[in-house]
Amino acid sequence: MTLYPDQLISPATRAFLARPKRMLIGAEWSAAVSGETLAVLDPATGQAFATVPAGGAADIDRAVAAARRAFESGEWPKMRPVDRERLLLKFADLIEANAQELAEIEALDNGKPVMMARHVDVALVVDFLRYMAGWATKIEGSTMDVSVPLMRDRELFGFTRREPVGVVGAIIPWNFPLLMAAWKVGPALTSGCTMVLKPAEETPLTALRFAELALEAGYPAGVLNVVTGHGDTAGAALASHKGIEKVAFTGSTEIGKLVGKAAIDNMTRVSLELGGKSPVIVLDDADPAMAAAGAAQAIFFNQGQVCTAGSRLFIHKSRFEKVVEGLSGIAASMKLGPGIDPSTQIGPLVSAVQQQRVLGYIESGLAEGARAATGGGAGGEAGYFVKPTVLVNAHDAMKVVREEIFGPVVVAMPYEDLDEVAHRANDTPYGLAASIWSNDLTRVHRLIPKIKAGTVWVNCHNILDNAMPFGGYKQSGIGREMGRAVLDMYTESKSVIMAL
Ligand code: NAI
Ligand code: MG
């Protein structure tokens, strides 16, 4: 990290980077059984700046065993809901107290702008954990008056309980490392589960700092275990492990299907948050400047590495030129730079693989006849930068319109009427999100039920709230995170019938 001026990296972050990186298994900070490690690269330069253990199946076994012990015995299963609430609030306080350090680590590890990491990622993590903490004391069952034909002479009483599902295996991606960790850890710990978290190999660092803070908050050993490692080894071992009751996955649809199949073989509960190809629909009454700014935020936030990225932009033909002009102007003006620089608006993509993948999509679009209104290639001298890109002259059958690009690339296309745009918006295997830009309430309300997506935004995009369930239709996943709905993913329902 000698590359960056001293003032960009705080002493706390330097101290974290200087400590040897170990995985948290039970109460122990440990290396991989195999002794193998993996290098962590700075996406702004391609240089390695940290090393973490490359955990494998043997490490997953140890972590699952530690989580099992913590689930079955010791203080955790006896803890009162209010004590679980207090612990999670303490954990959130510690994250808030270390927000700048966590944001800097996230920016160095993922490449994202540090201001975003601080005011979006870490801020959302703190709020989310506090929101989830409140649920610990509000997990309820119901009572029922039951009617059973052959027991007319007996008094019967029925009730349901919700119980923690057990040991949870969580596999998370690199685009929002800390936030995705929180989305799994929050519901698991508030409901009394224990867990093994496997962060993405590209971005393992904040999960390790997160684990340190969990211990500092006072979580008993084994409640949260973190195993760093590759997907096809550590990830696959966790997804197929017979010792877990639930697997929670966020990542690509391709790997999500593998994880889902592995889980079903053991009948492990599974929730999947997968990819998207979300439409942004601009109606003919929308203000072009506002729509352009909204469309820019929808696709360029987090370098477009967002499952809900607004990557297909449908603009009413009467507004098309103006919105594309506004959007291209914003794209061209965005400042590329390393995430750790507070003036950066667009950081590098997470890895060389992702950069090549995104550049490959741009090339395929151009080869199929699209034109780049702005951008259209790599940026920066070193590192994995891609210029914010707006493609026009596109049609619905192009690969860039069909497949998830996961980069700062939007395809803008004109449309003529609402039925047409609803049909085209749904003409995708995905169904994660959509946004509609209009102040015409009637038409907006008519469009909302037609869109097959788990979230529909109106005059905004990429806005998440802890109370709102989040998840996908179609190949964007199974299950919901956040809100009350997520508790169903981390608890089992038990029906009790008593004959008095
Ligand atoms: P990925 O789906 O391979 O990685 C996500 C997580 O799954 C990581 O922790 C990885 O280690 C783990 N994993 C990989 N293979 C596994 C396996 N066989 N069993 C169990 N776990 C496994 O995503 P990747 O390769 O990093 O990105 C590829 C594409 O996926 C991106 O270009 C993007 O289109 C999409 N993606 C979508 C995300 C989303 O939030 N919806 C997040 C990350 C990627
Ligand atoms: Mg992969």
Side-chain angles (χ1 to χ4, degrees):
M1 292 287 103
T2 45
L3 279 170
Y4 299 114
D6 275 357
Q7 67 271 20
L8 292 186
I9 302 177
S10 64
T13 299
R14 289 186 191 279
F16 171 79
L17 292 175
R19 291 199 282 285
K21 302 293 171 291
R22 298 281 182 266
M23 310 185 284
L24 180 59
I25 298 182
E28 220 181 290
W29 291 99
S30 93
V33 168
S34 67
E36 283 170 31
T37 58
L38 65 93
V40 183
L41 308 185
D42 172 2
T45 62
Q47 305 292 309
F49 70 101
T51 300
V52 300
D59 302 290
I60 293 290
D61 281 345
R62 291 158 63 215
V64 170
R68 171 63 50 200
R69 273 193 303 279
F71 185 71
E72 307 284 352
S73 57
E75 48 178 324
W76 182 248
K78 290 189 229 122
M79 209 173 263
R80 298 175 308 162
V82 72
D83 296 323
R84 292 203 306 270
E85 175 179 8
R86 212 191 318 263
L87 261 181
L88 198 46
L89 289 173
K90 174 100 185 284
F91 189 20
D93 288 347
L94 286 171
I95 291 168
E96 191 171 51
N98 293 279
Q100 182 59 26
E101 177 193 343
L102 287 164
E104 289 173 10
I105 301 170
E106 201 80 315
L108 291 168
D109 202 0
N110 166 279
K112 66 176 67 198
V114 65
M115 299 306 276
M116 291 289 172
R118 173 81 195 257
H119 299 292
V120 180
D121 299 59
V122 179
L124 285 174
V125 167
V126 172
D127 280 357
F128 178 67
L129 294 183
R130 287 183 178 145
Y131 169 83
M132 285 315 305
W135 277 114
T137 54
K138 294 159 198 77
I139 297 173
E140 299 172 334
S142 348
T143 61
M144 289 90 168
D145 291 331
V146 294
S147 321
V148 180
L150 291 177
M151 293 185 81
R152 281 169 198 276
D153 54 335
R154 296 292 300 274
E155 259 183 277
L156 296 173
F157 175 59
F159 67 95
T160 60
R161 297 169 40 76
R162 291 219 75 108
E163 300 178 350
V165 64
V167 175
V168 175
I171 302 172
I172 57 169
W174 41 260
N175 53 342
F176 293 92
L178 199 56
L179 185 60
M180 292 305 101
W183 279 20
K184 313 303 185 211
V185 170
L189 300 191
T190 214
S191 54
C193 300
T194 60
M195 68 189 301
V196 177
L197 173 69
K198 196 213 74 73
E201 48 272 56
E202 294 85 353
T203 55
L205 295 180
T206 41
L208 297 177
R209 185 69 184 113
F210 200 64
E212 288 180 355
L213 295 173
L215 284 188
E216 194 179 329
Y219 279 103
V223 170
L224 171 65
N225 305 274
V226 176
V227 175
T228 50
H230 292 283
D232 54 358
T233 52
L238 184 54
S240 61
H241 207 285
K242 294 191 186 327
I244 64 172
E245 277 85 11
K246 180 199 161 61
V247 56
F249 174 84
T250 300
S252 62
T253 293
E254 180 197 353
I255 300 297
K257 288 179 185 177
L258 292 180
V259 167
K261 285 176 192 156
I264 286 296
D265 276 344
N266 299 321
M267 217 45 86
T268 306
R269 276 66 184 130
V270 60
S271 50
L272 303 169
E273 295 291 345
L274 310 175
K277 192 74 189 172
S278 299
V280 173
I281 306 171
V282 179
L283 269 52
D284 58 12
D285 69 295
D287 169 43
M290 184 179 151
Q297 193 267 341
I299 187 62
F300 300 135
F301 171 56
N302 214 45
Q303 295 67 244
Q305 302 167 128
V306 182
C307 49
T308 53
S311 51
R312 291 181 299 148
L313 174 57
F314 295 103
I315 309 166
H316 189 265
K317 64 172 190 195
S318 66
R319 293 279 191 277
F320 187 77
E321 306 302 333
K322 278 210 155 139
V323 174
V324 167
E325 194 189 309
L327 171 61
S328 302
I330 295 169
S333 75
M334 293 182 91
K335 183 168 179 274
L336 269 63
I340 196 68
D341 181 340
S343 70
T344 291
Q345 292 174 307
I346 290 264
L349 301 194
V350 72
S351 65
V353 170
Q354 287 302 120
Q355 184 198 32
Q356 287 313 312
R357 196 185 165 104
V358 172
L359 292 175
Y361 274 113
I362 295 175
E363 275 165 32
S364 105
L366 299 178
E368 286 189 85
R371 182 173 65 77
T374 185
E381 279 131 49
Y384 314 133
F385 293 91
V386 173
K387 286 186 191 140
T389 298
V390 179
L391 297 178
V392 292
N393 274 353
H395 58 77
D396 293 358
M398 285 181 178
K399 201 169 138 180
V400 284
V401 179
R402 313 244 24 114
E403 297 181 16
E404 182 174 53
I405 299 177
F406 227 62
V409 182
V410 63
V411 187
M413 293 171 291
Y415 72 90
E416 292 191 22
D417 73 68
L418 279 196
D419 284 339
E420 173 208 334
V421 78
H423 174 80
R424 291 171 65 193
N426 289 330
D427 182 17
T428 164
Y430 296 111
L432 197 54
S435 63
I436 303 170
W437 297 78
S438 169
N439 282 320
D440 179 344
L441 273 181
T442 305
R443 289 192 301 161
V444 168
H445 270 289
R446 285 192 182 135
L447 204 44
I448 289 168
K450 289 187 182 158
I451 302 292
K452 294 188 174 65
T455 295
V456 175
W457 289 293
V458 179
N459 295 328
C460 59
H461 197 108
N462 284 337
I463 302 300
L464 300 174
D465 186 85
N466 297 319
M468 302 286 293
F470 176 82
Y473 281 33
K474 303 197 278 184
Q475 300 214 10
S476 289
I478 293 178
R480 291 291 180 271
E481 297 191 287
M482 302 207 289
R484 177 194 284 264
V486 73
L487 295 170
D488 291 348
M489 309 271 122
Y490 288 80
T491 56
E492 287 274 11
S493 170
K494 177 176 283 174
S495 296
V496 182
I497 298 184
M498 298 173 71
L500 305 183

